[in-house]
Amino acid sequence: MNEPTPSPDVLTLPDAASELQSRQLGVVRAVLWTALVFGLPVVTSASIRSIASGEPQKAVFYVAMFTALVLILAWRRAPYSLQGFTSIAIAYVVSVHELADEGLSGVGLVFLLMTVGMATLFLTRRAAGMVFVTSTGTLAVMGWLFSTGRITVPVERLTTSIRAGEWMNAGLVFVMLAGMLFVSQSYLIPTLTAALDKTRRIAARLQEVVREREDLVSLQQAVFEATADGILAVDN
């Protein structure tokens, strides 16, 4: 007797973990594209201000971070872990740079918070916990460096609320970060829901296949026992 062939859906559906990671990769790339689109005017504005204020090295830093973002997006076959860690690393490096350059007056704290948020979305709980501890430690070290006078911020950088350029730059950064959060949540929830539904369908189909195989085994055992009884009856 031929065994029933499992449904093609069961044979061809990818592993649930791989499916989930594929959807997470889509979230990462959506967030990176958002950062690229909104980050271009941010980098342009910040670079122009840096050059105008006689600090071209800061412009080089901004361009380098943006270039890293472009490269990781261009490498479409990059592993999910690499794309996720790269996006988090860029946010972290920018946060440290901004904290060291402007202290609490700049956007460093916002980028540091974004680093933890991205780690929570993209990484495992353990890895995200490590990022949280690292970010908290970074903030503590920065606080110690500033409070002990080892790093100082010029007074003119502390009073930037009256400068239209600073407000424009802060607004662009806010739009970029808010857009990244919006895109990640808008994309993540539907994709995770779809992955969960698909996993449930897989589980239900697998249970059905198991029941079919159990029924087949029971039938084969019954046929075997009936055949054995028939042979014994003939022999007697």
Side-chain angles (χ1 to χ4, degrees):
M1 184 177 295
N2 295 329
E3 296 185 4
T5 302
S7 168
D9 291 339
V10 176
L11 294 176
T12 58
L13 280 176
D15 180 76
S18 299
E19 177 73 10
L20 180 59
Q21 189 172 89
S22 175
R23 293 178 181 274
Q24 287 178 316
L25 178 58
V27 177
V28 172
R29 293 193 64 81
V31 170
L32 290 177
W33 272 110
T34 303
L36 181 69
V37 172
F38 290 105
L40 180 58
V42 174
V43 171
T44 303
S45 173
S47 298
I48 292 175
R49 288 191 306 108
S50 299
I51 295 175
S53 61
E55 298 176 303
Q57 70 279 3
K58 292 174 62 176
V60 173
F61 171 79
Y62 296 137
V63 172
M65 292 296 99
F66 190 78
T67 302
L69 178 61
V70 172
L71 290 177
I72 197 62
L73 270 173
W75 187 10
R76 296 182 58 86
R77 295 184 178 275
Y80 165 76
S81 57
L82 178 61
Q83 296 194 42
F85 274 111
T86 300
S87 60
I88 294 168
I90 292 174
Y92 176 75
V93 172
V94 172
S95 71
V96 173
H97 176 272
E98 292 301 308
L99 282 172
D101 188 57
E102 298 186 356
L104 296 177
S105 302
V107 295
L109 191 60
V110 178
F111 272 97
L112 194 62
L113 181 60
M114 189 68 186
T115 300
V116 178
M118 293 171 66
T120 304
L121 287 174
F122 301 157
L123 306 181
T124 62
R125 181 179 300 178
R126 181 178 180 180
M130 294 176 62
V131 173
F132 171 75
V133 172
T134 301
S135 299
T136 304
T138 299
L139 188 60
V141 171
M142 284 295 178
W144 176 75
L145 291 174
F146 275 96
S147 61
T148 56
R150 287 172 171 79
I151 297 180
T152 58
V153 178
V155 177
E156 59 270 17
R157 291 185 184 175
L158 299 177
T159 56
T160 58
S161 298
I162 60 175
R163 299 178 184 176
E166 297 292 343
W167 280 100
M168 182 183 71
N169 189 62
L172 291 173
V173 172
F174 173 79
V175 171
M176 180 185 68
L177 296 180
M180 291 170 64
L181 286 174
F182 176 77
V183 169
S184 63
Q185 288 297 328
S186 300
Y187 192 95
L188 182 63
I189 293 177
T191 52
L192 289 182
T193 300
L196 180 59
D197 291 341
K198 197 168 189 178
T199 302
R200 288 173 176 170
R201 291 197 300 271
I202 294 173
R205 180 54 188 153
L206 288 177
Q207 289 178 353
E208 182 181 345
V209 171
V210 170
R211 285 195 299 269
E212 291 176 356
R213 291 185 180 275
E214 290 176 347
D215 292 341
L216 177 62
V217 171
S218 299
L219 179 60
Q220 289 176 332
Q221 185 176 0
V223 171
F224 175 78
E225 292 177 352
T227 303
D229 292 342
I231 293 175
L232 292 176
V234 172
D235 290 343
N236 292 333

